[in-house]
Amino acid sequence: MTAAYQTMTRRSDFLAANRGLRVARAGFVLLANANGGQGQRAGITVTKKIGNAVVRNRMKRRFRALLREVLPEHGLVDTDHVLIGRENGIERDFALLREELVAALGRARDGKGDPARRKGGPRKGRR
């Protein structure tokens, strides 16, 4: 069985995806960015804030299973998809995560991403 998508491994691909559309959900954040004809690609990121290695690896396994199931049918063509794990993602029901991912991919397809995040905090003493 061959995968319907390629796995992203290079840091530059993840940084490029960060410039794309962002759709936040309770269990994850989906980044979607057109990749110029390189096909469907997917990547997963889970930071150390989430938990120890056991917790992070469990979350990554769940995300890989989720992507294998959902991306072939609902994924965007010639797009990089990156799932960023959130704290609530590890204990969420798998069926609920699947519904959230399908909804997030639908919003990305319609171009309805969340507003861009502000970089840095408020600047004190500046006018």
Side-chain angles (χ1 to χ4, degrees):
M1 184 172 136
T2 60
Y5 63 89
Q6 295 176 337
T7 304
M8 293 169 45
T9 55
R10 293 184 0 202
R11 182 174 190 268
S12 60
D13 293 336
F14 283 86
L15 292 175
N18 198 32
R19 290 190 295 267
L21 207 59
R22 176 184 213 91
V23 182
R25 292 288 173 246
F28 59 87
V29 175
L30 171 70
L31 303 177
N33 190 37
N35 61 20
Q38 295 180 1
Q40 272 188 354
R41 300 192 308 171
I44 299 169
T45 301
V46 181
T47 66
K48 288 185 177 182
K49 286 188 211 175
I50 303 302
N52 63 16
V54 174
V55 171
R56 293 192 313 268
N57 286 331
R58 180 170 176 235
M59 182 176 270
K60 287 190 270 187
R61 282 194 306 271
R62 294 183 82 200
F63 282 168
R64 277 193 295 271
L66 192 63
L67 288 170
R68 270 194 306 270
E69 191 175 312
V70 173
L71 265 192
E73 186 177 340
H74 299 284
L76 285 68
V77 179
D78 292 334
T79 302
D80 291 340
H81 306 82
V82 176
L83 284 180
I84 302 173
R86 289 181 134 180
E87 278 190 57
N88 296 336
I90 194 65
E91 61 266 338
R92 287 184 87 72
D93 184 47
F94 191 77
L96 183 59
L97 279 175
R98 183 184 314 115
E99 290 173 16
E100 289 177 345
L101 181 58
V102 169
L105 287 168
R107 284 184 59 86
R109 184 175 296 108
D110 296 339
K112 296 179 181 175
D114 296 333
R117 292 178 26 177
R118 257 183 56 197
K119 299 275 183 181
R123 301 208 174 223
K124 294 183 181 177
R126 296 231 173 149
R127 293 181 191 220

